């Protein structure tokens, strides 16, 4: 009975992790669909439009560096919560932002959060499915692929119906709040993670 409950708990947490990866992938790809609208709204020359992707990729670069240094020092579940909280903040704050500098700062922070979340999700899935980690990590990457495909479709669908480009970020932000709340429940109560392998507590940081 306990083994069955533990297995269900592990699969439930895995499902939420896959949804987080799907959501992360959607946000990384919608920017290309709305780029021309961004250029028009912010009055940017067409030749400078690529700066948005460049700033996001610079944020991703710093996220990779920082996650490589810091990730092993903390419980991955809490890293996932923190990274997805920053990610959700970025998505929702884009909606009221007006200046191009504010938008660039937000997508930089989003890029940092992207790679922290990516690394933590891969590590967590590998931990709770150690015996078949190759299979489950492959499924995790499939979720990323489906999300990458869905992002431009979602943005295009909303734009075709007369919605502003910010509406895509608003819709995603609301969905992300729900996913974040679900995973906070997992971390704080252990409701779905009873079967997950516990991670060793992080070593104390040197003074």
């Amino acid at each position: 009975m306990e083994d069955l409950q533990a297995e269900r708990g592990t699969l439930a947490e895995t499902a939420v992790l896959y949804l987080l990866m799907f959501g992360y992938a959607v946000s990384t790809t919608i920017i290309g669909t709305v780029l021309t609208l961004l250029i028009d709204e912010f009055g940017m020359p067409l030749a400078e439009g690529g700066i948005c992707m460049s700033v996001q990729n610079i944020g991703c670069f710093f996220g990779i560096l920082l996650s490589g240094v810091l990730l092993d020092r903390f419980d991955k579940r809490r890293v996932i919560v923190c990274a997805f909280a920053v990610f959700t903040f970025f998505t929702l704050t884009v909606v009221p932002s007006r200046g191009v500098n504010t938008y660039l700062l937000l997508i930089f922070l989003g890029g940092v959060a992207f790679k922290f979340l990516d690394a933590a999700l891969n590590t967590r899935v590998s931990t709770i499915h150690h015996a078949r980690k190759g299979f489950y990590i492959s499924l995790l990457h499939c979720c990323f692929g489906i999300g990458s495909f869905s992002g431009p479709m979602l943005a295009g669908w909303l734009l075709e119906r007369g919605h502003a480009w910010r509406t895509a970020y608003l819709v995603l932000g609301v969905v992300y709040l729900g996913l974040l709340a679900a995973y906070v429940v997992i971390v704080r109560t252990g409701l779905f993670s009873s079967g997950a392998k516990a991670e060793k507590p992080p070593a104390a940081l040197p003074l």
Side-chain angles (χ1 to χ4, degrees):
M1 188 66 170
E2 290 183 359
D3 290 343
L4 179 60
Q5 182 179 0
E7 182 179 353
R8 288 176 176 174
T10 300
L11 291 177
E13 181 178 359
T14 303
V16 177
L17 293 174
Y18 285 174
L19 288 174
L20 293 177
M21 177 61 91
F22 174 86
Y24 149 59
V26 170
S27 277
T28 61
T29 53
I30 63 173
I31 187 173
T33 307
V34 303
L35 186 57
T36 56
L37 299 177
L38 287 172
I39 291 172
D40 291 341
E41 180 171 325
F42 293 135
M44 301 169 61
L46 184 60
E48 296 179 7
I51 193 174
C52 297
M53 295 300 300
S54 297
V55 169
Q56 179 174 285
N57 288 332
I58 291 171
C60 291
F61 173 75
F62 280 101
I64 292 171
L65 291 180
L66 291 173
S67 64
V69 174
L70 299 175
L71 197 59
D72 287 338
R73 296 175 179 262
F74 302 100
D75 187 317
K76 306 307 178 296
R77 292 167 294 184
R78 284 162 176 77
V79 173
I80 290 170
V81 169
C82 292
F84 205 76
V86 173
F87 181 53
T88 303
F89 170 81
F90 144 73
T91 306
L92 288 174
T93 312
V94 164
V95 178
S97 67
R98 288 296 176 262
V100 63
N101 291 332
T102 302
Y103 179 75
L104 292 177
L105 175 61
L106 289 173
I107 61 175
F108 173 81
L109 292 176
V112 175
F114 288 163
K115 290 307 174 184
F116 259 101
L117 183 65
D118 188 16
L121 287 173
N122 278 276
T123 305
R124 182 61 184 161
V125 170
S126 177
T127 298
I128 64 179
H129 294 289
H130 182 72
R132 301 185 65 196
K133 60 183 178 182
F135 173 75
Y136 283 96
I137 288 178
S138 294
L139 289 181
L140 182 69
H141 292 172
C142 284
C143 291
F144 180 87
I146 296 171
S148 298
F149 178 75
S150 302
M153 292 183 65
L154 170 65
W157 185 83
L158 290 171
L159 293 175
E160 284 180 354
R161 281 153 183 78
H163 294 283
W165 64 267
R166 298 173 191 273
T167 304
Y169 284 97
L170 177 61
V171 171
L172 292 174
V174 172
V175 173
Y176 295 163
L177 280 176
L179 291 176
L180 180 61
Y183 202 70
V184 167
V185 170
I186 290 173
V187 171
R188 293 188 64 84
T189 69
L191 180 62
F192 296 142
S193 58
S194 58
K197 296 181 179 179
E199 296 182 19
K200 295 181 179 178
L205 296 177
L207 299 177

